[in-house]
């Protein structure tokens, strides 16, 4: 009986040690890693923030033992299903980008928030927009990438965004799903491309994205390269670079590129809970290997670095 109870306790400890955050993003600032994402258990109305100093041990509680939430729900827009946040710094403020089928941006003085808006609201749009990712170029121009859906097509779009983070201009399509790894099930309905992340390397712009429906076991991550933050984008020949046969788990995708304290490049993402169940999705990381061919960035994963958080 004691052995049985010990086994149950060990299994419970492993289960609850895992972080169940989908669509994750990691922001490194001043010696601390901040993890945010689509929370599996509280419908994401305020977004839990996890922190770590050593990149191994994570906590979602403050010194008083209270759960750390990003948004001040009384002073920021929240809907029924807020998803896919990003945390970044812009000038002297920290920005929290997120979506509830429309894009929203809140601000705070610290990475732990609480994040607020001058006027709680999302950015109006004619169609569903999710998964915002803000990229600030070397010249200070601000761009936001997001997934844009209509009844007939799904795209990752890019737009310029003003300094108040309330107005989008110059919208332009980047990538839509095509045949091959981006639509392994040959769905006739618009197939999703989502979860964009953009980095600038060697003067080139690299767009990481996920394709296939997130419920599909073949959900995976690829990338494309451009000379401009608005495209045109050339898909990598070795796509997809993160997929289930590499990480050993179904539904591997929708994450974010980040740099650790040593400058190494990682990708944080989610997988399905198991081969039979999608939710709750589990949070994982894997290190990227970067090289250059004729000045063009190329990425592969270092398989043995995969681990759940």
């Amino acid at each position: 009986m004691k052995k049985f109870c010990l086994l149950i306790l060990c299994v419970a400890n492993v289960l609850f040690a895992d972080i169940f955050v989908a669509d994750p993003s990691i922001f490194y600032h001043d010696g601390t890693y901040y993890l945010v994402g689509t929370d599996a258990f509280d419908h994401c109305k305020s977004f839990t923030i996890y922190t770590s100093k050593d990149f191994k041990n994570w906590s979602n509680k403050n010194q008083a033992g209270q759960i750390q939430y990003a948004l001040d729900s009384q002073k920021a827009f929240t809907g029924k299903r807020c998803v896919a946040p990003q945390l970044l710094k812009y000038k002297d403020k920290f920005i929290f980008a997120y979506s509830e089928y429309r894009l929203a941006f809140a601000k705070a003085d610290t990475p732990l928030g609480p994040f607020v808006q001058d006027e709680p609201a999302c950015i109006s749009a004619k169609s569903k927009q999710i998964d915002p990712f803000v990229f600030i170029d070397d010249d200070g121009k601000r761009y936001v990438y997001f997934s844009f859906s209509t009844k007939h097509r799904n795209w990752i779009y890019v737009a310029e965004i003003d300094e108040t983070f309330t107005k989008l201009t110059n919208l332009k399509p980047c990538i839509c799903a095509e045949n091959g790894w981006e639509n392994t099930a040959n769905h006739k309905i618009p197939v999703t491309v989502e979860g964009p992340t953009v980095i600038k390397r060697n003067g080139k712009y690299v767009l990481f994205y996920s394709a296939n429906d997130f419920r599909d076991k073949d959900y995976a991550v690829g990338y494309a390269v451009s000379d401009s933050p608005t495209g045109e984008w050339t898909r990598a020949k070795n796509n997809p670079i993160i997929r289930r046969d590499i990480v050993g788990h179904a539904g591997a995708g929708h994450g974010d590129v980040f740099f650790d304290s040593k400058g190494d490049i990682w990708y944080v993402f989610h997988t399905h809970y198991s081969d039979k169940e999608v939710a709750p999705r589990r949070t994982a990381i894997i290190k990227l290997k970067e090289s250059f061919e004729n000045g063009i960035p190329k990425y592969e994963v270092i398989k043995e670095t995969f681990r759940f958080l």
Side-chain angles (χ1 to χ4, degrees):
M1 184 66 178
K2 288 183 178 179
K3 290 183 178 180
F4 178 75
C5 292
L6 182 60
L7 176 62
I8 294 296
L9 180 61
C10 290
V11 171
N13 284 338
V14 170
L15 175 64
F16 290 107
D18 287 345
I19 296 177
F20 295 94
V21 169
D23 318 325
S25 177
I26 288 180
F27 172 64
Y28 179 71
H29 175 73
D30 199 21
T32 299
Y33 298 92
Y34 298 84
L35 167 66
V36 294
T38 302
D39 197 300
F41 301 112
D42 71 357
H43 301 291
C44 330
K45 288 186 178 179
S46 295
F47 294 105
T48 304
I49 300 180
Y50 292 81
T51 58
S52 175
K53 292 287 187 180
D54 61 7
F55 200 33
K56 295 180 181 179
N57 300 292
W58 295 84
S59 174
N60 64 349
K61 296 182 179 180
N62 59 24
Q63 292 181 343
Q66 300 170 323
I67 294 178
Q68 300 170 145
Y69 289 109
L71 297 178
D72 183 332
S73 59
Q74 301 300 313
K75 298 181 180 179
F77 171 77
T78 57
K80 294 181 179 179
R81 185 62 174 168
C82 293
V83 300
Q86 177 204 10
L87 178 57
L88 68 145
K89 187 174 184 182
Y90 178 67
K91 295 186 176 180
D92 62 344
K93 293 288 185 180
F94 293 89
I95 306 298
F96 195 82
Y98 59 104
S99 59
E100 198 273 331
Y101 301 114
R102 298 292 186 271
L103 308 186
F105 302 85
K107 301 177 183 179
D109 293 325
T110 76
L112 287 176
F115 290 85
V116 301
Q117 296 173 304
D118 295 334
E119 295 289 338
C122 61
I123 296 178
S124 61
K126 295 180 179 179
S127 183
K128 183 175 77 171
Q129 298 179 352
I130 58 172
D131 305 350
F133 180 86
V134 176
F135 170 75
I136 302 171
D137 208 348
D138 298 334
D139 60 3
K141 265 194 172 183
R142 301 156 305 281
Y143 300 89
V144 60
Y145 300 80
F146 56 92
S147 183
F148 178 94
S149 293
T150 67
K151 292 182 179 180
H152 306 290
R153 210 70 187 265
N154 172 262
W155 288 82
I156 288 176
Y157 262 69
V158 61
E160 293 182 36
I161 190 165
D162 70 336
E163 282 200 311
T164 67
F165 289 88
T166 60
K167 184 179 180 181
L168 303 181
T169 56
N170 300 324
L171 275 69
K172 182 180 179 181
C174 297
I175 282 178
C176 67
E178 296 180 348
N179 293 328
W181 77 270
E182 296 174 343
N183 186 12
T184 59
N186 293 317
H187 291 295
K188 294 181 180 180
I189 61 173
V191 179
T192 301
V193 282
E194 60 186 9
T197 290
V198 172
I199 60 174
K200 190 175 184 179
R201 305 293 284 175
N202 198 35
K204 304 292 184 181
Y205 299 84
V206 187
L207 167 63
F208 293 84
Y209 64 98
S210 296
N212 279 306
D213 188 280
F214 76 91
R215 292 162 291 193
D216 195 304
K217 290 183 178 181
D218 289 328
Y219 194 57
V221 178
Y223 69 98
V225 180
S226 175
D227 293 325
S228 163
T230 59
E232 303 292 325
W233 300 92
T234 301
R235 288 170 166 84
K237 294 180 180 179
N238 62 328
N239 280 343
I241 60 169
I242 299 175
R243 56 186 190 268
R244 64 175 168 142
D245 66 301
I246 290 180
V247 302
H249 297 271
H254 196 141
D256 187 16
V257 175
F258 69 97
F259 296 81
D260 67 15
S261 60
K262 299 177 182 178
D264 292 331
I265 309 175
W266 295 79
Y267 192 83
V268 58
F269 60 104
H270 69 242
T271 73
H272 291 174
Y273 179 73
S274 68
D275 283 339
K276 296 182 179 180
E277 296 180 82
V278 173
R281 286 169 285 176
R282 304 174 67 186
T283 311
I285 57 172
I286 195 166
K287 186 182 285 188
L288 299 182
K289 178 183 177 182
E290 181 183 63
S291 59
F292 296 90
E293 294 183 357
N294 299 318
I296 307 298
K298 180 181 178 181
Y299 297 91
E300 302 170 88
V301 298
I302 303 174
K303 184 176 181 178
E304 59 269 24
T305 63
F306 169 85
R307 64 179 173 90
F308 287 110
L309 296 183

